[in-house]
Amino acid sequence: MTETTPTTTKKTLAVVSIILGAVSVLLCWILPILWVVVAIVGVVLGFLSRSREPQARTLALVGIILSFIGVALNIGSMILGAILVAQYMQR
């Protein structure tokens, strides 16, 4: 009798990176200082996944891209908010 071990593909970091990137993109207009940190964590987890989980390279790439988009949108949201506050204060 031979025992075969089931092959499991570990994709945890890649999936978490995608989730964090998507959340930071969707909620970038509400409290962007928090979501930019979440997006940066998503980028870091995406890169960690690319090195530690070779079977999840595509998922990790999607997480990295979403997280970078989240960083950009959150920074844009902060700049837009600062401009709006500055215009409001001048009136």
Side-chain angles (χ1 to χ4, degrees), residues 16-77:
V16 172
S17 175
I18 290 173
I19 291 170
L20 293 179
V23 166
S24 70
V25 167
L26 293 175
L27 299 176
C28 68
W29 304 110
I30 304 168
L31 199 60
I33 193 78
L34 170 69
W35 302 116
V36 75
V37 173
V38 169
I40 291 170
V41 171
V43 169
V44 170
L45 288 178
F47 280 113
L48 283 176
S49 173
R50 284 181 64 87
S51 63
R52 293 183 184 175
E53 301 170 351
Q55 68 278 9
R57 289 181 67 83
T58 305
L59 288 175
L61 181 62
V62 171
I64 291 168
I65 291 170
L66 270 175
S67 296
F68 272 127
I69 291 171
V71 169
L73 286 176
N74 282 296
I75 290 173
S77 177

Side-chain angles (χ1 to χ4, degrees), residues 78-90:
M78 286 188 262
I79 292 170
L80 181 64
I83 290 171
L84 292 175
V85 167
Q87 285 180 353
Y88 179 76
M89 296 300 283
Q90 288 180 351

